[in-house]
Amino acid sequence: MGPRPEYPRPALRRAAWVTLNGEWAFGAGPDPTFDRSILVPFCAESELSGIGEPPGDVVWYRRRFDAPAAEAVVLHFGAVDYRATVWVNDVEVARHEGGHTPFSAEITAALRARDNVLVVRAEDPLADQTIPRGKQYWKAVPESIFYTPTTGIWQTVWLEPLPLRHIRGLRTRPDLESGAVDVEVEADGEVEIIATLEGQVAGRWSGQDRGRMQLEHVVPWHPDSPALYDLEARLVDREGRTMDRLESYFGLRTVETIDGRFHLNGEPFTQRLVLDQGYFPGGLLTAPTDDALRVDIELARSLGFNGARKHQKVEDPRWLYWADRLGFLCWSEMPSFHEHSAEAERRLIAEWTEVVREHRDHPSVVAWVPANESFGLQKIDPSVRSNLLVRLYNLTHELDGTRPVSSNDGWEHALTDMCTLHDYSPPAELARNYRSVEAALQGHAGDHAPYDPGFGYRGEPMLVTEFGGLWLSGSGGWGYSDVRDADQFLEVYAGLIDGLMQPGPVEGFCYTQLTDVEQETNGLLTFDRVPKVEPERIRAATQKPKGGQLKNHS
């Protein structure tokens, strides 16, 4: 089996598919010689690719393949950073801009039965900070909060053989209150859909375009009991014969912000999140295996967290699948640009639109974060910044009106559904900062106010979505606060949680961070996923009840 052999699009599955992961010819520069090989889907900067060094701004890939027998064949790319051009047998079949989102192309007309030549050109100008790149550094050596960049292909490449008439799209919009699910299909004819829960039929629908499926058994999705309905969609001809078949799933749950609290399925819910950068030893942004994605969620749960803020990364669809399956909340966040321009705004808006459309059917996704800490927006007029933030807020709600939006996570919010603040103060100071709404809104992030001019707190839920950053003295790298050993680590960590869970306005938190990443060694786990403190002890502190007795931590 080649690298990452699992089905890459678990929310829309077909039985037949062909992975193109594995060894490809590789070259760099304007006129490549394809004199090296690379292991796809790992980027050239990663050790697992077989190259392990910066390749330059332009990279090329080439591989040969035999076409699967089918009336139509679609070529899929999970993600290529940043601009991609694709040829099959010297015929250009696709162009895509955006380093974090999937794209595809029907390549049937360009194919021959055997020995097809697939060529991909990827361009990722490292010095161009108007490109949304998140934590990927634009200088030669990673430093501070920025890490090794990713150039080119970094998610699975695969072929999908299809009948000429097939299901082109399937969306589900679960409605817990009505015990139903709205379905939308794009297909060349009538589609029959069956929903099952634990093997028992829960609902049926047939038709074209869109409709509502009433469910016989209504079981909500919740982190404590992540019930998922399986979905089978069949495209049928007039005689009732199956022409195409898709499998999917959905979860029934509601997310709301009411009277300053976050509600899940109609009940107040305290989000205990961990900041997760999604970097992996050997693979950087690409997990070495599917198990590595699942294990990260299991490790976070063992530490007492019920979700993660996927920080400045659009995660692999397999991670979202495991979050849905295991019951783990996700805040979906757009990687930022770091230099503002009209072109930077266009790029971010276009790619964020793709992200929301890709993630909005996942029950685990409970919040949208289009911007973080004014990345790329610090040195511009506040009115220009807030104008962009309001446009992103409105766009996000147009694409998905079922989840809250954190307009600029950390500070300088414009229109927002949650007041999300970042504060790396020590325990006693953190506790003082959040004894009241008034104290919290004084601002504790240097020159950064919680809201931009013209905007202010309207009673939305308040969460501290970055704090902590503890690191062990002498362990190398850096963190936000140092502690001498595991015992002091736990003492300070517990004090931080106590300070936020005291009686007061804070309704949830996100601790920095799950793992060490390169030079930033402030994780609860090492980069190799080894706990620094016994998970049971961290778990007990993480799950401190809201409104409990505040301990005397200094």
Side-chain angles (χ1 to χ4, degrees):
M1 299 288 284
R4 297 299 304 270
E6 64 283 343
Y7 195 87
R9 191 187 58 191
L12 287 175
R13 306 183 303 275
R14 282 188 173 91
W17 70 290
V18 179
T19 181
L20 295 181
N21 287 349
E23 191 170 291
W24 293 48
F26 182 79
D31 299 306
T33 57
F34 294 104
D35 56 342
R36 289 183 285 178
S37 64
I38 188 170
L39 197 64
V40 169
F42 303 108
C43 70
E45 291 91 341
S46 72
E47 294 178 10
L48 288 173
S49 72
I51 294 177
E53 62 185 24
D57 291 349
V58 178
V59 293
W60 296 77
Y61 302 78
R62 184 179 67 196
R63 70 156 290 165
R64 297 177 182 273
F65 68 94
D66 294 336
E71 294 176 316
V73 177
V74 174
L75 172 63
H76 294 274
F77 291 85
V80 182
D81 203 351
Y82 172 70
R83 298 185 192 90
T85 309
V86 183
W87 296 265
V88 173
N89 298 327
D90 296 324
V91 177
E92 184 179 314
V93 295
R95 290 192 180 200
H96 182 259
E97 180 181 76
H100 313 91
T101 49
F103 65 98
S104 59
E106 184 174 329
I107 60 172
T108 315
L111 288 175
R112 47 188 179 241
R114 302 185 66 81
D115 199 32
N116 295 278
V117 180
L118 170 60
V119 173
V120 179
R121 178 188 187 273
E123 181 183 7
D124 187 18
L126 198 62
D128 188 350
Q129 296 180 50
T130 66
I131 290 174
R133 61 175 69 256
K135 289 300 194 79
Q136 300 182 51
Y137 204 25
W138 49 91
K139 295 183 180 179
V141 179
E143 61 181 329
S144 182
I145 61 170
F146 297 102
Y147 316 130
T148 301
T150 290
T151 302
I153 297 171
W154 67 277
Q155 287 186 25
T156 291
V157 185
W158 56 292
L159 297 171
E160 188 173 30
L162 295 167
L164 193 60
R165 295 175 60 191
H166 55 269
I167 301 171
R168 294 187 302 276
L170 172 65
R171 272 211 70 199
T172 56
R173 297 183 181 181
D175 186 337
L176 175 59
E177 294 180 357
S178 301
V181 58
D182 294 318
V183 296
E184 295 181 20
V185 293
E186 293 180 56
D188 304 308
E190 181 160 308
V191 176
E192 295 180 352
I193 297 179
I194 298 176
T196 57
L197 182 65
E198 297 181 347
Q200 301 296 312
V201 174
R204 298 177 185 269
W205 177 85
S206 62
Q208 300 183 28
D209 299 326
R210 64 188 64 197
R212 168 161 282 214
M213 179 194 304
Q214 203 66 38
L215 298 171
E216 298 175 17
H217 311 291
V218 178
V219 180
W221 184 97
H222 188 279
D224 296 335
S225 55
L228 293 176
Y229 292 76
D230 291 312
L231 207 63
E232 179 189 69
R234 295 189 306 125
L235 176 66
V236 296
D237 63 14
R238 293 179 179 178
E239 285 72 42
R241 293 173 297 195
T242 299
M243 304 172 66
D244 187 26
R245 181 176 177 272
L246 263 181
E247 292 181 344
S248 185
Y249 65 86
F250 64 89
L252 288 168
R253 63 108 186 90
T254 60
V255 176
E256 301 169 283
T257 56
I258 304 171
D259 297 330
R261 302 203 68 179
F262 178 89
H263 283 63
L264 180 63
N265 298 338
E267 298 291 335
F269 185 87
T270 300
Q271 296 185 80
R272 302 170 190 273
L273 311 176
V274 65
L275 198 72
D276 184 357
Q277 314 273 5
Y279 272 72
F280 296 87
L284 301 177
L285 287 180
T286 309
T289 65
D290 187 48
D291 280 347
L293 295 168
R294 174 182 53 80
V295 166
D296 268 10
I297 294 174
E298 292 173 342
L299 286 168
R301 285 168 54 90
S302 76
L303 297 169
F305 298 102
N306 54 31
R309 180 170 153 231
K310 293 303 297 193
H311 190 37
Q312 291 293 290
K313 182 188 181 186
V314 179
E315 193 51 274
D316 188 311
R318 297 289 310 184
W319 188 94
L320 289 168
Y321 164 78
W322 286 116
D324 294 338
R325 184 69 57 187
L326 298 173
F328 196 64
L329 305 183
C330 171
W331 285 30
S332 182
E333 180 173 329
M334 180 63 200
S336 300
F337 55 71
H338 295 282
E339 181 179 316
H340 178 264
S341 69
E343 180 66 3
E345 289 192 7
R346 182 199 66 78
R347 289 169 170 166
L348 186 131
I349 289 169
E351 194 165 0
W352 179 239
T353 299
E354 293 183 16
V355 172
V356 175
R357 286 174 173 161
E358 285 295 320
H359 288 187
R360 61 189 175 185
D361 285 356
H362 287 277
S364 59
V365 176
V366 296
W368 302 114
V369 185
N372 171 73
E373 290 187 350
S374 298
F375 278 6
L377 304 172
Q378 302 98 326
K379 300 176 181 178
I380 63 174
D381 188 291
S383 64
V384 176
R385 175 173 60 228
S386 57
N387 177 273
L388 173 61
L389 296 175
V390 169
R391 282 188 288 144
L392 286 166
Y393 174 91
N394 289 332
L395 169 67
T396 307
H397 274 292
E398 289 169 9
L399 294 167
D400 173 64
T402 70
R403 295 171 177 89
V405 177
S406 173
S407 70
N408 187 11
D409 209 90
W411 51 68
E412 294 168 345
H413 287 285
L415 197 58
T416 189
D417 298 320
M418 295 181 291
C419 177
T420 55
L421 304 173
H422 297 176
D423 190 341
Y424 286 97
S425 300
E429 185 178 339
L430 194 73
R432 288 194 299 271
N433 291 348
Y434 300 97
R435 287 193 182 277
S436 66
V437 169
E438 292 73 22
L441 294 178
Q442 288 178 6
H444 309 286
D447 296 331
H448 302 288
Y451 290 83
D452 259 342
F455 299 89
Y457 182 67
R458 302 177 301 157
E460 55 265 21
M462 182 175 291
L463 298 92
V464 177
T465 48
E466 282 189 34
F467 70 104
L470 303 180
W471 69 293
L472 293 168
S473 298
S475 62
W478 70 276
Y480 289 94
S481 298
D482 66 311
V483 291
R484 62 179 176 271
D485 55 27
D487 287 338
Q488 191 183 28
F489 194 117
L490 181 67
E491 178 187 358
V492 176
Y493 179 81
L496 292 167
I497 302 296
D498 282 352
L500 296 179
M501 290 292 97
Q502 67 182 315
V506 176
E507 289 296 323
F509 58 76
C510 180
Y511 178 80
T512 303
Q513 60 184 338
L514 180 61
T515 77
D516 295 347
V517 185
E518 298 186 336
Q519 73 281 349
E520 189 177 352
T521 54
N522 52 19
L524 293 165
L525 312 170
T526 68
F527 198 28
D528 292 325
R529 277 50 178 178
V530 177
K532 298 179 182 179
V533 180
E534 292 90 337
E536 299 79 12
R537 301 174 74 192
I538 292 291
R539 179 183 182 86
T542 304
Q543 296 189 338
K544 174 79 176 184
K546 170 66 178 171
Q549 181 65 40
L550 182 64
K551 298 176 184 177
N552 183 24
H553 288 282
S554 59

